[in-house]
């Protein structure tokens, strides 16, 4: 699941006072099927399962669209796709998959960046239609269906002047982003998205061929909640609802600055990396470096235009950037900088990395050199400032280990025209070679990787994603999925394996 703005430019197109976004399918009541756990004894065989929900098979008219993920570089042909309408549909689908011994994958927003939420000749259990939200403004507790996108979640909460950390791309699934960690403009203010996760409903494998529903929270299966906070994407079970402790947020100041060309990169980047991670915790910033321009984005929670410009003055004093600032409701601002999926490139490749020491001049020069030779205008180098609330773990802790990072970054290549099979094939080898060489050149200055931005060729991915938490995650895997039902190319194996 991809969290950030690097697939395209976050243009400041939201007008102050813009109307609320309509959220079809979201109601103020809990969804049907979000019921208490239904256990199945290990020794009891399940009745033959029948698939329920919205079923899409290869001979159905909507199969081509249903089987295509956001990154069209990866194409798979599943045996069947189940769009769950309630929790019981997920239970039935998981049981059916086990009884028929077919490979299974779990999908929410479809943004898996290595195509791992899809599978050939298997079943895809898709939770994207579990769209509902119950928001208690008095307790500031929000329980939502796992199908909400980030835009839908931001909008629903913002209507009540509340917020939780999300990434900046609205079409990304909220559950996928949260379960991998989740960061964006509000990270330094509110912490990681997973830090606000206080409960989940999860469908897990049970016995030799069954499935059951369990709760994970501070009192029930607390070890699983810990694992879901940063390692929950398709490793332990299928999350059908998430419960968050949300925070008040009435307005934000959103600043965008643009420098033409890369001539000011050394000064802009160095000033940013030395100020942004230690600035006022209300300020979240991102840099995007393209081959023809440098972009700075900042969101100041509960801040004014003057405050935003003052906090970012050291960076804005470099060169002569074009600057715009907008103050408004977070939901309106967030909706305003979204880019329609149809306008994004079809194919993408990223490398993720964290940095704990400022980049030296040589590293910044490497970025400039590679970006000047980028394979497309959509290719970029993206960064996200850390520090602030990221350094504080929530009660119960999380599996996300990269809390001491100054910033997160990734080179990304985007190419091809969406919806056209084979589009960009002539650029694919060049783009993949470029990003591999780029990431290799930066290795002396970075460490670790982000599980929501995985790489199939990564060595030691276990510790790159989860550091010293990996052994504990394997033990939790052995407890909740000892038969390794939930597995994919870089899934967590149970401790017994």
């Amino acid at each position: 699941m991809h969290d950030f703005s690097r697939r395209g430019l976050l243009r400041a197109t939201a007008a102050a006072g813009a109307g609320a976004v309509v959220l079809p399918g979201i109601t103020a009541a809990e969804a049907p099927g979000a019921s208490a756990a239904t256990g199945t004894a290990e020794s009891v065989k399940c009745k033959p399962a029948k698939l329920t929900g919205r079923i899409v098979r290869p001979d159905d008219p909507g199969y081509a669209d249903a089987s295509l993920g956001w990154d069209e570089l990866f194409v798979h042909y599943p045996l069947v796709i189940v769009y769950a309408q309630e929790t019981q549909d997920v239970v039935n689908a998981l049981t059916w998959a086990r009884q028929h011994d077919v490979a299974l994958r779990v999908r929410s927003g479809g943004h898996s960046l290595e195509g791992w939420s899809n599978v050939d000749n298997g079943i895809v259990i898709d939770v994207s239609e579990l769209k509902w939200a119950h928001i208690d403004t008095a307790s500031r507790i929000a329980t939502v269906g796992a199908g909400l996108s980030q835009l839908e979640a931001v909008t629903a909460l913002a209507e009540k002047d509340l917020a939780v950390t999300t990434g900046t791309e609205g079409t990304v699934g909220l559950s996928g982003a949260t379960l991998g960690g989740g960061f964006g403009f509000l990270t330094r203010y509110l912490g990681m998205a997973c830090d606000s996760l206080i409960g989940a409903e999860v469908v897990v494998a049970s016995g030799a061929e069954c499935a059951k529903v369990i709760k994970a929270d501070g009192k029930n299966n607390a070890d699983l909640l810990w694992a879901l906070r940063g390692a929950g994407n398709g490793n332990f079970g299928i999350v059908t609802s998430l419960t968050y402790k949300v925070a008040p947020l009435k307005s934000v100041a959103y600043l965008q600055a643009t420098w033409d060309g890369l001539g000011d990169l050394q000064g802009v980047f160095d000033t940013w990396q030395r100020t942004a991670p230690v600035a006022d915790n209300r300020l979240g910033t991102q840099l995007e470096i393209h081959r023809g321009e440098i972009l700075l984005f900042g969101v100041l929670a509960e801040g004014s235009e003057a405050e935003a410009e003052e906090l970012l003055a050291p960076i804005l004093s470099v060169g002569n950037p074009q600057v715009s600032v907008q103050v408004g409701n977070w939901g309106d601002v967030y909706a305003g900088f979204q880019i329609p999926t149809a306008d994004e490139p079809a194919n993408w490749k990223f490398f993720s990395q964290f940095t704990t020491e400022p980049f030296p001049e040589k590293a910044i020069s490497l970025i400039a050199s590679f970006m000047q030779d980028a394979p497309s205008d959509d290719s970029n180098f993206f960064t996200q400032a850390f520090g602030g609330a990221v350094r504080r773990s929530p009660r119960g802790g999380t599996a996300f280990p990269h809390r001491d990072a100054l910033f997160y970054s990734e080179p990304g290549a985007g190419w091809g025209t969406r919806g056209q099979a084979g589009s960009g094939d002539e650029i694919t080898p060049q783009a993949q070679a470029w990003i591999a060489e780029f990431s290799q050149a930066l290795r002396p200055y970075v460490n670790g990787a982000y599980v929501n931005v995985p790489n199939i060729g990564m060595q030691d991915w276990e510790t790159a994603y989860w550091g010293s938490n990996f052994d504990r995650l394997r033990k939790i895997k052995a407890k909740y999925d000892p038969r390794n039902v939930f597995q994919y190319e870089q899934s967590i194996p149970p401790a017994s394996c």
Side-chain angles (χ1 to χ4, degrees):
M1 282 38 36
H2 214 177
D3 294 331
F4 325 108
S5 61
R6 71 266 188 202
R7 299 179 196 137
L9 314 185
L10 293 178
R11 297 304 186 188
T13 55
V21 174
V22 177
L23 303 181
I26 298 179
T27 67
E30 292 200 20
S35 58
T38 56
T40 304
E42 291 287 314
S43 60
V44 177
K45 274 197 170 282
C46 299
K47 295 179 180 179
K50 180 180 179 181
L51 295 178
T52 57
R54 184 166 71 88
I55 313 302
V56 180
R57 300 183 186 275
D59 56 351
D60 292 332
Y63 178 81
D65 288 338
S67 62
L68 190 63
W70 174 82
D71 193 339
E72 297 181 11
L73 187 63
F74 305 100
V75 179
H76 293 285
Y77 301 96
L79 180 69
V80 60
I81 302 166
V82 173
Y83 288 91
Q85 309 297 298
E86 59 183 24
T87 298
Q88 189 59 44
D89 296 335
V90 177
V91 174
N92 295 343
L94 178 55
T95 304
W96 183 92
R98 300 192 70 199
Q99 290 177 344
H100 291 81
D101 193 26
V102 300
L104 70 92
R105 296 295 168 89
V106 184
R107 187 171 70 183
S108 55
H111 284 249
S112 175
L113 297 179
E114 288 286 4
W116 294 339
S117 61
N118 205 341
V119 64
D120 292 320
N121 301 314
I123 182 172
V124 173
I125 303 176
D126 190 300
V127 299
S128 65
E129 294 181 3
L130 296 177
K131 292 186 186 296
W132 53 272
H134 178 77
I135 302 170
D136 188 328
T137 56
S139 64
R140 293 176 184 163
I141 301 294
T143 300
V144 303
L148 289 193
S149 69
Q150 294 189 134
L151 175 60
E152 291 166 339
V154 168
T155 304
L157 289 170
E159 287 177 349
K160 300 180 182 296
D161 291 333
L162 296 170
V164 69
T165 297
T166 68
T168 51
E169 292 198 34
T171 60
V172 169
L174 176 71
S175 59
T178 298
L179 296 174
F183 49 86
F185 282 123
L186 300 181
T187 303
R188 302 187 66 256
Y189 185 49
L190 302 179
M192 304 291 293
C194 68
D195 295 352
S196 298
L197 184 68
I198 59 173
E201 180 184 76
V202 192
V203 178
V204 297
S206 176
E209 62 175 27
C210 303
K212 65 180 181 181
V213 185
I214 65 173
K215 300 288 187 180
D217 53 37
K219 296 181 179 179
N220 304 287
N221 304 305
D223 55 347
L224 179 58
L225 176 63
W226 176 87
L228 293 177
R229 291 170 163 175
N233 285 321
N235 276 307
F236 306 97
I238 304 171
V239 173
T240 51
S241 76
L242 306 97
T243 300
Y244 296 89
K245 182 68 175 179
V246 297
L249 181 62
K250 290 186 177 181
S251 70
V252 303
Y254 172 64
L255 181 146
Q256 176 180 317
T258 305
W259 288 261
D260 290 334
L262 301 183
D264 292 313
L265 180 59
Q266 194 69 234
V268 170
F269 196 103
D270 190 54
T271 305
W272 174 82
Q273 70 176 343
R274 297 182 186 280
T275 58
V278 294
D280 188 314
N281 286 2
R282 294 176 299 148
L283 179 65
T285 57
Q286 299 174 350
L287 274 181
E288 278 188 20
I289 302 158
H290 294 253
R291 60 184 179 186
E293 61 184 355
I294 306 165
L295 299 164
L296 167 69
F297 306 102
V299 169
L300 180 62
E302 308 291 10
S304 65
E305 176 179 350
E307 281 183 293
E309 291 179 335
E310 180 180 0
L311 287 169
L312 291 168
I315 309 169
L316 299 177
S317 66
V318 178
N320 186 31
Q322 298 175 358
V323 181
S324 63
V325 185
Q326 172 192 352
V327 178
N329 175 270
W330 176 227
D332 294 336
V333 171
Y334 187 93
F337 60 59
Q338 298 304 311
I339 295 173
T341 300
D343 295 341
E344 297 180 326
N347 310 308
W348 287 94
K349 182 64 180 176
F350 305 94
F351 275 79
S352 61
Q353 55 213 4
F354 294 89
T355 296
T356 54
E357 297 290 336
F359 277 180
E361 182 178 339
K362 182 178 179 180
I364 301 171
S365 296
L366 277 172
I367 297 170
S369 176
F370 273 93
M371 288 314 308
Q372 286 167 351
D373 294 329
S376 69
D377 288 336
D378 292 292
S379 302
N380 64 82
F381 183 82
F382 165 88
T383 60
Q384 165 82 52
F386 267 41
V390 181
R391 296 187 180 274
R392 300 192 302 268
S393 292
R395 178 180 298 180
T398 76
F400 180 83
H402 307 289
R403 296 188 179 273
D404 61 344
L406 281 179
F407 58 88
Y408 167 87
S409 65
E410 62 185 32
W415 69 100
T417 302
R418 193 163 289 275
Q420 297 182 12
S423 175
D425 282 356
E426 68 282 358
I427 302 175
T428 298
Q430 175 192 354
Q432 292 181 325
W434 175 82
I435 197 167
E437 292 170 5
F438 196 170
S439 63
Q440 181 66 24
L442 287 174
R443 284 191 67 181
Y445 314 106
V446 301
N447 55 76
Y450 182 38
V451 68
N452 277 356
V453 186
N455 187 272
I456 185 62
M458 182 181 300
Q459 294 183 342
D460 301 322
W461 54 267
E462 303 92 338
T463 52
Y465 299 147
W466 296 297
S468 61
N469 292 330
F470 188 67
D471 288 343
R472 182 180 176 187
L473 287 168
R474 290 195 65 190
K475 293 175 182 177
I476 295 172
K477 172 77 168 183
K479 178 178 177 181
Y480 292 95
D481 185 21
R483 300 172 189 265
N484 204 18
V485 173
F486 296 97
Q487 59 175 291
Y488 52 92
E489 286 80 351
Q490 290 181 351
S491 59
I492 296 169
S496 57
C497 289

